[in-house]
Amino acid sequence: MAALELAGIRKTYGRTVALDEATFDVRDGEFFCLLGPSGAGKTTTLKVAAGLAEPSVGVVRLDGVDVTDVEPTRRDLAMCFESYALYPQHNVFDNLAFPLRSPRRRMPAERTRQRILDITTLLGIDHLLDRPVTQLSNGQRQRVALGRVLVRPASAYLLDEPLSHLDARLRASMRAELKAISGEDGTTTLYVTHDYVEALSLADRIGVLDAGRIRQIGTPREVWSEPADTVVARSFGKPAINLVDGAIAAAGGVLTFVSTDGALRLPVPGLRTSPGVRAQLGIRPRDLGLLRGAGDLPSSLVCFDAAIYVLEHLGRQTEVTVRVGAALLSLVVPREVADGHVLDDKVVVTFDPAAAHVFLPDDGGRRVVR
Amino acid sequence: MSNLVLYGVRKVFRSRRGAPVEAVRRMDLEVRSGELVALLGPSGCGKSTTLRMIAGLEDVTDGDILIGGRSVLGLRPQERNVGVAFENYGLYPPLTVAANLAFGLDARRLGRARERRARIHDVARRIGLLDVLDARPASLSSGQKQRVALGRAIIRAPDVLLLDEPLSRLDAAQRDLTRRELRRLQRELGYTTVLVTHDQEEALSLADRVVVMDEGRVRQVGTPDEVYDDPADVFVAGFVGEPAMNLLPGVLEGGGPVWLSPHVAVPTDIRGAAGDVVLGVRPEDVILVGPDADRSGGVADAVAHVLVVEDLLECTLLTVELPGVERRLVVQTGPGLRAVPGQAVSVAFHRLRTYVFDAKTGERLR
Amino acid sequence: MGTPRWRRRLRPYLLAMPAVLLCVGILYPFFVGVGYTVFNFSDANRTPSFVGVRNFVDILSSDTFWHSAQVTVSFAVVATVVETVVGVGIALLLHRSSLVARILERFLIVPLMVAPIIAAIMWKLILLPEVGWVRPILSAAGVEGYRGTDSALAAFFWSVVVDAWLYTPFVAILALVGLRSLPRSPFEAAAVDGANWWLTFRRLILPMLWPYILVAVIFRFMDCLKVFDIIYGLTAGGPGDATTTLQISAYLEAITYARYSRGMTFMLILWVVVYASSFVLVRYLGRVQSRAAGSV
Amino acid sequence: MSGKAGLRGRGVLADLVLVVYFLLSLAPVVFIVALSLKSNAEQTSTYLRFTPTLDNYRAVLGIGAGESAYLRFFLASLICAVGAVLVSLVIGVPAAYAAARFRFRGSEGLLFTLLSFRFAPELVVIIPLGVLYQQLGLYDTYVGMIWALQLVTMPLVVWILRSFFQDLPPDLEQAALLDGYSRRQAFVKTVLPLVRPGVAAVCLLAFIFAWNNFILPFTLTSSEAQTVTVSSLAFLGGNQVRFNLVAAGAVMAVLPPLVLALFIQRYLVRGLSFGAVKS
């Protein structure tokens, strides 16, 4: 086990910048998730860490030792490729044995066999050992690829979207499995994913990567409740956070957010900003509600008028999209609350000002602190 | 707009090698005028084949297809007035977006040049393609491609609109956005629509009615709520809903309880049946009873051992082990639950939302 | 335990080194040959003297050169067009689910594997009035007075026929692969849109197939510009100089008459033409391919 | 599809056109085989009906006559083509791998130089090469021919192998590196087994092209290293031409490439188009 550190990594391919000044460290035994959309530079980061790509600028350290010039073979890292990178000429067993039989390890045959059996049983692929990998489904291949990493001890694991090709049910159970394994085994892990649920579930800390730049590093709770900017805010939650364009005004001494067309006006007290700036209001869909009948409204909530744009069932809940002026807002409510509404119905939406975030589009979407 | 009726439709693929494959088995379905019906199922369940038969891209082995009360069996795709948005878009790569939209109008020589231009403009405006009319498909984002495919399908005002996995190639953010727009557009235009998807969330959120298919067979037809709350068999139960329903093997006793292990019995209302069953309960319908989950008030069915805790902030997922039960149980609770692996929790199964299925046939027992 | 960067940087060069040496080994005679063009080097004149651009002036003002150039270009254009049109046509016919097409496709490559010089010999025999099949077939069709390749037009015609016989399959194979790699859904969409075959062909198939056709055209055109085997074997450039292409002229100059400098000058001019056309065509191909690339 | 019924008439017509094309395409082959089986008496007197005889083949191969020039040419073709392919392979595999996997200065230049060999009119190199060979004593030798044939085989080997290497995701070798293998081991254990069929196909194709080449041996050999293609033409040159013998020689010269081509159908398109078109 080792601590892994990337410092000031810049990686360019021709004129395109894949990674820009990426700096982060994965502590000894920590599970660190890099979250970002495709093309954000996640795989490049892993390849730089593994030594498969040479950074244009920057340093990679393992346990404080500069390994930037060390061949990948000698870094003692294990990596799971998104493309699986299984050896098509071998069956499952030989794929898993490949790292154990390498000149660096030369594990005795009996121990190799035992180790492979343990791991494949854990991953639920022990019945496939004699199968050529070309005859496996994508989900099975992915588990073999993961197995090839877990089968051997390493200073750190580098995992590139190891669950992305599994179906929903299997993904959820493998995620839980992976969480259990990492809890017990405690190998330093750098995990790359585009799925925020995986990041929230698995990570000790999350780094949000976008267009080659790290936007924020923090615990799941930090990146969720204190997003550094709109990119981070949009990375978490389903449906995604609502972002409404507008400006900050001072109405009767209280700072108020006013949407561009003036249709939405909401007080946002306690902001450290001045009236007149352009702003984006961010509200998570689960922080909005629908007012049913003339029931009394908790004093902490404010409300505004809207019209129903679309209703979508999500099991026991319904995602309601409402229109306020030109802005569309999604909210998620229990099914019975939405039942009976039809398109273009007038509704009253409730909202907790304390749950709102304000971002400054003129400042790269940075969040205003309260 | 016309209604669409499938009457005993079958499709058998014969290959020179191997046995014939029955891709669709005797399917009966009526899609009412203006309705959106989703065909939902895993890949290879026959849903795309059904769509292709309606479009005329695939022969019908048996049965009849009627659009607006008229059989279309003898008609080539060119002669059926259907609009199709293909899964991989099927855009015409050499043509601009405008020419892609115009292709069907040109081919059928619909209207004068000026009317056609006006129509293209109108459709492009509706689905937000005005800026890219002169671009070629290769330079579009997948969201734009998807909208071109949709625009091409609706521009001729088809009798039936067929959408094959229309959102599958979009990323999560785009998918949510496009899904919403698609739903709104279909409502406004009122097209009779058949949508094919493997994504249960897409089917539930878009459709008026959902047809769940598996291995060429229709498992259930119903509204999204019916399919979700009242699954007809174990396949539907397991396929619809996320996180997926827990399906635990057990033994049903005559008196009602299902024994999951010698230590865990779950009472049910089923009388007069006994034998091997599968007990189904959604993670959200498992209730935590005890100091940390005082909102239930129910009586615990079992004491479980927590294996994994996933705090997803919108909710918390627990993976727990019931005494003597091999299959693990997933429990979904509201956000902010404090639990640690190794802890013991009491769980209760929501009485009205616990389903029992015959272990052999998969049929729901009531 | 690190490996210095310069050693990692060197790795590809070490791997490519032998190939580079080989290129040098082939480029060296080429440059020596380019040197010949400013001397008057021949077997008769083994101690050449510098003549400047006189070789170029002589050749560019000679009728022989312009005649050969005209023959070469006409041959290249006619043969390429014929092979492309027929080849693409055959590919379209083969790209159907017909039993006949499936069986015949297996024989497509047969001519392609025949050495061009052997093909020329075969055809020479076929065209011989004494043993060949052409005379009886023509007379059966009522055409008399067939006399093989002894007129300028006939020699040119049959040269093109032999080239087309050999290389039409090349175009057809490329076009067929192109057709098979085209996505299916645009054509299904076209059917649903109500398009007939001609509209589909004109607006979709042809433009989508263009990158493949272009590869075939480039290869055929470039090869035709330097055609040697077929014409040498069939007519040896005759009758007279009716089918004397540039490479045959150069051969006569440099090898038959051993006038190296003049032969080399011929070749250098042809080489410039070939290089320039390949440069233009390959760049155009690059544009077409990159345009076709991202398209789904 | 119900639509097919309307096209059935057109389908028959299309099949008919195909049949005509293939008759024309295969007729010369049938002709030459027929001619090679004719006796001296029948070669000028009959077209299709004749009594087949293998005498011409016996004559060409010198069976019964003790010594055969043709077999010597055959052997020369074989030595030159195999030699050229082997040299190209040894030099080309590392170069193709480097060009596929690394971006390095000059890689494009190298590739395009090789491609320009393919498109260059051969004489542009042959004329000075011939003079050079006379001076070095390489004229009419196997070594000289093998060297000159690199003009034909080398671009093919490098370009096509590069496209094979490019098709393999680098992930495989990278995985092997991380699994604890050296670069050489990674190449041998992961890449090589996967490209082996492709390499074999390229070798065969390069062999065919080397075998079929005419202008190089025609200008750079005279007797010792003269190949089948050149000698076939020489048969036509004599005073007393026996067409049936020429035909027999031609058939034998065509046979090896045709047989080998059967093994590489899958890779043929990629080979013929230098990797520009993949099937």
Side-chain angles (χ1 to χ4, degrees):
Chain A
M1 269 182 280
L4 171 68
E5 184 185 350
L6 274 73
I9 302 287
R10 191 181 160 79
K11 174 73 187 167
T12 53
Y13 293 106
R15 243 177 256 162
T16 47
V17 181
L19 271 184
D20 195 5
E21 289 295 313
T23 299
F24 64 90
D25 65 310
V26 187
R27 295 167 200 148
D28 195 350
E30 187 182 31
F31 201 111
F32 188 95
C33 274
L34 265 185
L35 174 72
S38 60
K42 295 173 302 203
T43 299
T44 307
T45 311
L46 280 193
K47 293 210 163 169
V48 167
L52 300 171
E54 203 172 283
S56 315
V57 182
V59 177
V60 181
R61 294 194 191 91
L62 270 171
D63 271 340
V65 181
D66 182 345
V67 294
T68 320
D69 285 335
V70 173
E71 292 277 351
T73 317
R74 302 194 180 162
R75 290 196 190 185
D76 192 33
L77 301 171
M79 178 162 168
C80 177
F81 291 73
E82 196 195 356
S83 62
Y84 322 127
L86 300 180
Y87 309 115
Q89 67 271 33
H90 294 315
N91 64 16
V92 171
F93 184 88
D94 288 337
N95 262 280
L96 292 166
F98 199 74
L100 303 179
R101 290 172 180 161
S102 78
R104 278 179 62 77
R105 224 160 252 116
R106 296 191 193 285
M107 193 180 272
E110 193 39 48
R111 263 185 67 207
T112 301
R113 173 143 212 102
Q114 195 48 50
R115 189 86 196 118
I116 289 173
L117 273 178
D118 289 350
I119 289 294
T120 48
T121 311
L122 192 66
L123 296 173
I125 47 173
D126 46 329
H127 59 293
L128 300 172
L129 285 177
D130 296 328
R131 202 78 77 73
V133 290
T134 44
Q135 288 175 18
L136 301 182
S137 73
N138 278 344
Q140 291 167 334
R141 282 177 205 201
Q142 193 148 40
R143 280 180 282 165
V144 176
L146 191 56
R148 201 172 59 188
V149 169
L150 300 178
V151 78
R152 70 183 198 259
S155 302
Y157 292 151
L158 308 171
L159 308 180
D160 193 355
E161 301 268 13
L163 306 180
S164 59
H165 294 281
L166 306 178
D167 66 44
R169 178 185 280 269
L170 197 55
R171 185 163 58 238
S173 73
M174 288 294 296
R175 195 181 65 215
E177 200 62 66
L178 209 54
K179 178 147 184 146
I181 295 172
S182 79
E184 285 167 24
D185 150 292
T187 302
T188 310
T189 305
L190 175 54
Y191 184 105
V192 151
T193 180
H194 70 280
D195 181 350
Y196 80 93
V197 175
E198 281 171 28
L200 291 180
S201 158
L202 293 167
D204 295 318
R205 284 188 305 147
I206 297 174
V208 179
L209 192 66
D210 183 68
R213 306 189 53 157
I214 293 191
R215 297 304 189 122
Q216 185 174 3
I217 296 175
T219 64
R221 196 159 285 280
E222 281 165 6
V223 292
W224 174 269
S225 50
E226 297 161 34
D229 56 23
T230 47
V231 171
V232 177
R234 258 204 305 255
S235 301
F236 299 92
K238 181 171 167 55
I241 191 168
N242 295 296
L243 289 173
V244 185
D245 289 318
I248 299 295
V254 179
L255 285 182
T256 302
F257 171 85
V258 182
S259 68
T260 312
D261 57 6
L264 186 65
R265 308 176 70 88
L266 295 171
V268 278
L271 277 190
R272 285 193 211 158
T273 184
S274 45
V277 295
R278 287 210 312 135
Q280 269 187 318
L281 183 72
I283 318 168
R284 298 213 181 268
R286 284 182 170 76
D287 293 331
L288 291 170
L290 281 187
L291 193 63
R292 284 278 266 193
D296 46 353
L297 184 67
S299 61
S300 64
L301 300 185
V302 294
C303 56
F304 54 88
D305 293 325
I308 298 230
Y309 184 71
V310 167
L311 293 162
E312 294 167 278
H313 297 271
L314 303 169
R316 295 279 155 65
Q317 296 180 307
T318 300
E319 181 183 344
V320 184
T321 306
V322 296
R323 184 159 47 190
V324 187
L328 293 176
L329 295 173
S330 326
L331 45 137
V332 176
V333 296
R335 188 161 76 196
E336 44 297 356
V337 175
D339 273 351
H341 282 299
V342 294
L343 261 49
D344 299 322
D345 266 5
K346 296 273 179 281
V347 289
V348 177
V349 178
T350 62
F351 156 70
D352 177 6
H357 300 298
V358 172
F359 303 96
L360 302 177
D362 294 328
D363 191 5
R366 195 174 55 82
R367 184 175 62 99
V368 181
V369 215
R370 283 176 201 263
Chain B
M1 298 316 109
S2 321
N3 68 338
L4 165 73
V5 177
L6 275 65
Y7 178 72
V9 169
R10 274 179 76 223
K11 175 71 192 180
V12 179
F13 285 111
R14 284 171 220 284
S15 62
R16 258 173 297 166
R17 273 170 292 227
V21 179
E22 194 164 10
V24 178
R25 314 177 187 218
R26 288 204 55 81
M27 178 158 177
D28 294 304
L29 177 69
E30 184 191 354
V31 184
R32 292 184 280 270
S33 186
E35 189 183 28
L36 194 161
V37 166
L39 305 184
L40 170 68
S43 60
C45 73
K47 54 193 194 304
S48 282
T49 307
T50 308
L51 189 97
R52 293 170 60 81
M53 286 193 285
I54 300 170
L57 296 166
E58 209 76 70
D59 280 330
V60 175
T61 308
D62 242 327
D64 202 357
I65 297 175
L66 299 95
I67 296 177
R70 197 169 61 105
S71 170
V72 293
L73 276 200
L75 303 179
R76 294 188 297 151
Q78 283 92 333
E79 297 156 346
R80 306 182 185 192
N81 189 19
V82 297
V84 184
F86 290 89
E87 177 179 9
N88 47 11
Y89 317 121
L91 302 184
Y92 309 130
L95 308 182
T96 62
V97 169
N100 262 278
L101 294 175
F103 195 84
L105 303 178
D106 293 350
R108 289 173 204 264
R109 302 205 169 79
L110 290 174
R112 293 166 184 284
R114 240 188 46 220
E115 295 164 26
R116 285 186 217 173
R117 270 205 299 281
R119 191 120 148 229
I120 291 165
H121 189 84
D122 180 51
V123 168
R125 185 185 52 75
R126 259 183 177 287
I127 55 179
L129 288 172
L130 281 183
D131 297 339
V132 294
L133 277 180
D134 293 326
R136 272 169 227 283
S139 65
L140 301 182
S141 71
S142 43
Q144 288 168 324
K145 284 182 192 164
Q146 198 279 325
R147 278 179 289 169
V148 178
L150 185 65
R152 199 176 55 183
I154 61 175
I155 196 164
R156 287 180 289 108
D159 292 331
V160 174
L161 182 62
L162 305 172
L163 309 174
D164 192 357
E165 302 273 8
L167 309 178
S168 63
R169 300 212 171 179
L170 307 182
D171 66 37
Q174 269 181 328
R175 185 155 51 222
D176 287 356
L177 220 66
T178 314
R179 198 178 72 194
R180 178 204 281 176
E181 291 307 321
L182 183 63
R183 180 60 174 161
R184 178 82 192 178
L185 196 69
Q186 194 269 342
R187 276 287 179 278
E188 282 178 6
L189 299 174
Y191 285 131
T192 308
T193 306
V194 177
L195 173 134
V196 158
T197 180
H198 69 279
D199 180 352
Q200 53 93 26
E201 181 181 301
E202 201 172 304
L204 294 185
S205 60
L206 278 169
D208 297 309
R209 283 189 301 148
V210 178
V211 178
V212 186
M213 294 179 72
D214 183 42
E215 293 178 343
R217 205 170 277 144
V218 172
R219 299 293 183 161
Q220 187 171 4
V221 181
T223 65
D225 289 350
E226 285 165 5
V227 169
Y228 193 87
D229 288 341
D230 202 8
D233 64 13
V234 72
F235 175 79
V236 177
F239 196 74
V240 174
E242 201 187 336
M245 186 185 282
N246 293 294
L247 295 170
L248 309 167
V251 179
L252 175 68
E253 226 173 53
V258 172
W259 290 90
L260 298 178
S261 79
H263 314 288
V264 184
V266 180
T268 68
D269 301 331
I270 298 164
R271 299 284 176 269
D276 286 349
V277 294
V278 172
L279 183 83
V281 61
R282 294 195 186 281
E284 59 196 305
D285 296 328
V286 182
I287 303 155
L288 290 187
V289 191
D292 261 306
D294 47 15
R295 63 204 176 86
S296 70
V299 180
D301 291 319
V303 175
H305 176 80
V306 176
L307 294 173
V308 182
V309 182
E310 297 176 89
D311 182 1
L312 304 178
L313 294 152
E314 286 164 320
C315 65
T316 305
L317 289 182
L318 301 182
T319 306
V320 304
E321 203 170 33
L322 294 170
V325 180
E326 193 186 339
R327 194 77 57 91
R328 284 156 190 191
L329 181 74
V330 178
V331 183
Q332 181 180 11
T333 71
L337 177 92
R338 300 211 176 274
V340 290
Q343 185 186 337
V345 291
S346 302
V347 296
F349 292 44
H350 192 300
R351 284 291 170 273
L352 299 175
R353 289 180 173 150
T354 305
Y355 314 100
V356 181
F357 306 97
D358 187 303
K360 271 194 219 69
T361 64
E363 293 292 317
R364 170 96 175 267
L365 303 175
R366 290 169 199 269
Chain C
M1 60 179 188
T3 311
R5 278 190 184 203
W6 65 267
R7 270 188 53 192
R8 272 181 286 155
R9 294 268 151 76
L10 206 60
R11 206 171 273 144
Y13 293 101
L14 287 175
L15 291 173
M17 186 60 71
V20 172
L21 289 178
L22 179 119
C23 285
V24 171
I26 287 176
L27 287 176
Y28 171 72
F30 170 70
F31 284 116
V32 168
V34 172
Y36 291 176
T37 59
V38 289
F39 288 91
N40 56 357
F41 179 35
S42 69
D43 240 3
N45 183 10
R46 284 258 164 199
T47 49
S49 51
F50 183 77
V51 295
V53 296
R54 210 173 66 212
N55 285 322
F56 289 93
V57 173
D58 278 359
I59 284 169
L60 286 174
S61 60
S62 74
D63 289 343
T64 328
F65 172 80
W66 289 109
H67 173 75
S68 318
Q70 193 202 334
V71 171
T72 306
V73 173
S74 328
F75 177 81
V77 170
V78 173
T80 305
V81 168
V82 169
E83 286 156 22
T84 306
V85 171
V86 178
V88 172
I90 293 299
L92 285 171
L93 292 177
L94 285 175
H95 183 57
R96 298 172 310 134
S97 55
S98 119
L99 184 65
V100 177
R102 269 207 307 278
I103 293 171
L104 291 182
E105 194 195 321
R106 290 160 198 269
F107 296 99
L108 192 58
I109 61 157
V110 168
L112 206 49
M113 289 300 121
V114 175
I117 187 69
I118 305 288
I121 294 170
M122 284 164 65
W123 276 88
K124 198 174 173 117
L125 296 175
I126 295 176
L127 296 172
L128 277 178
E130 300 93 320
V131 296
W133 284 357
V134 171
R135 194 176 62 89
I137 290 173
L138 284 179
S139 63
V143 182
E144 293 300 334
Y146 167 78
R147 296 202 316 275
T149 59
D150 64 353
S151 78
L153 191 65
F156 184 84
F157 174 80
W158 289 112
S159 303
V160 171
V161 167
V162 177
D163 201 71
W165 175 76
L166 256 178
Y167 292 112
T168 298
F170 171 76
V171 182
I173 288 177
L174 255 62
L176 194 59
V177 168
L179 281 171
R180 295 206 168 127
S181 71
L182 294 186
R184 233 171 84 185
S185 55
F187 299 99
E188 295 185 340
V192 172
D193 264 349
N196 58 27
W197 188 85
W198 177 239
L199 186 72
T200 311
F201 176 74
R202 200 162 46 88
R203 306 269 306 265
L204 300 182
I205 295 180
L206 204 53
M208 288 166 80
L209 204 56
W210 194 238
Y212 294 89
I213 298 178
L214 206 58
V215 170
V217 166
I218 291 174
F219 271 83
R220 285 318 308 140
F221 188 71
M222 310 305 296
D223 279 357
C224 282
L225 282 181
K226 58 171 196 172
V227 62
F228 181 84
D229 301 12
I230 289 173
I231 290 184
Y232 190 82
L234 195 67
T235 68
D241 60 358
T243 51
T244 306
T245 59
L246 279 171
Q247 231 190 176
I248 290 189
S249 284
Y251 172 80
L252 294 174
E253 285 287 350
I255 311 289
T256 311
Y257 310 132
R259 293 195 289 241
Y260 306 120
S261 283
R262 276 181 64 90
M264 216 30 225
T265 311
F266 260 97
M267 285 318 298
L268 196 63
I269 295 170
L270 174 60
W271 179 80
V272 168
V273 173
V274 168
Y275 200 84
S277 1
S278 74
F279 194 73
V280 171
L281 284 172
V282 170
R283 280 193 61 171
Y284 177 53
L285 174 70
R287 269 218 308 282
V288 168
Q289 280 183 331
S290 64
R291 196 166 41 191
S295 56
V296 176
Chain D
M1 210 184 298
S2 45
K4 275 180 200 152
L7 289 171
R8 198 158 290 150
R10 211 192 284 172
V12 172
L13 193 69
D15 283 346
L16 209 67
V17 174
L18 276 183
V19 168
V20 170
Y21 171 83
F22 277 93
L23 281 181
L24 290 176
S25 176
L26 297 177
V29 179
V30 176
F31 164 81
I32 203 79
V33 172
L35 184 58
S36 74
L37 296 173
K38 284 181 188 176
S39 66
N40 290 345
E42 283 176 316
Q43 63 165 323
T44 53
S45 64
T46 62
Y47 291 111
L48 271 177
R49 226 173 303 158
F50 59 92
T51 328
T53 164
L54 288 175
D55 285 351
N56 302 316
Y57 289 94
R58 281 196 201 99
V60 169
L61 290 173
I63 293 172
E67 199 232 352
S68 157
Y70 194 87
L71 271 183
R72 245 187 50 221
F73 300 138
F74 212 85
L75 197 65
S77 274
L78 205 64
I79 292 172
C80 293
V82 169
V85 170
L86 286 182
V87 170
S88 289
L89 204 62
V90 170
I91 297 179
V93 168
Y97 184 70
R101 281 292 185 263
F102 301 96
R103 290 162 163 251
F104 61 100
R105 203 173 303 221
S107 64
E108 293 290 301
L110 177 65
L111 284 166
F112 275 97
T113 307
L114 284 170
L115 188 64
S116 75
F117 292 167
R118 164 69 178 75
F119 285 126
E122 294 84 349
L123 278 172
V124 88
V125 175
I126 287 174
I127 296 171
L129 204 59
V131 176
L132 215 64
Y133 273 13
Q134 305 252 3
Q135 293 165 357
L136 295 173
L138 287 173
Y139 182 80
D140 198 21
T141 60
Y142 292 136
V143 175
M145 262 319 288
I146 288 171
W147 180 249
L149 277 172
Q150 295 309 309
L151 212 54
V152 176
T153 53
M154 192 70 186
L156 189 80
V157 167
V158 171
W159 271 76
I160 302 173
L161 283 184
R162 186 183 76 127
S163 88
F164 279 126
F165 287 133
Q166 279 176 334
D167 279 2
L168 286 185
D171 291 3
L172 279 183
E173 297 133 80
Q174 298 186 341
L177 289 182
L178 290 172
D179 280 349
Y181 293 83
S182 70
R183 281 184 191 268
R184 182 187 300 269
Q185 289 164 332
F187 178 78
V188 171
K189 282 192 179 273
T190 64
V191 181
L192 216 49
L194 295 175
V195 293
R196 204 172 284 149
V199 172
V202 170
C203 287
L204 291 185
L205 198 64
F207 175 86
I208 292 172
F209 282 147
W211 177 281
N212 282 353
N213 190 281
F214 167 68
I215 193 166
L216 291 170
F218 185 52
T219 48
L220 295 175
T221 66
S222 56
S223 63
E224 192 62 36
Q226 199 174 64
T227 63
V228 166
T229 46
V230 180
S231 65
S232 298
L233 188 70
F235 269 129
L236 269 180
N239 286 336
Q240 276 192 318
V241 180
R242 282 182 54 196
F243 302 116
N244 47 2
L245 282 190
V246 177
V251 169
M252 283 194 288
V254 166
L255 225 48
L258 215 52
V259 172
L260 292 182
L262 294 178
F263 295 100
I264 52 169
Q265 294 247 15
R266 248 184 73 206
Y267 299 98
L268 199 62
V269 168
R270 191 194 287 238
L272 293 172
S273 69
F274 270 57
V277 172
K278 294 166 188 173
S279 56

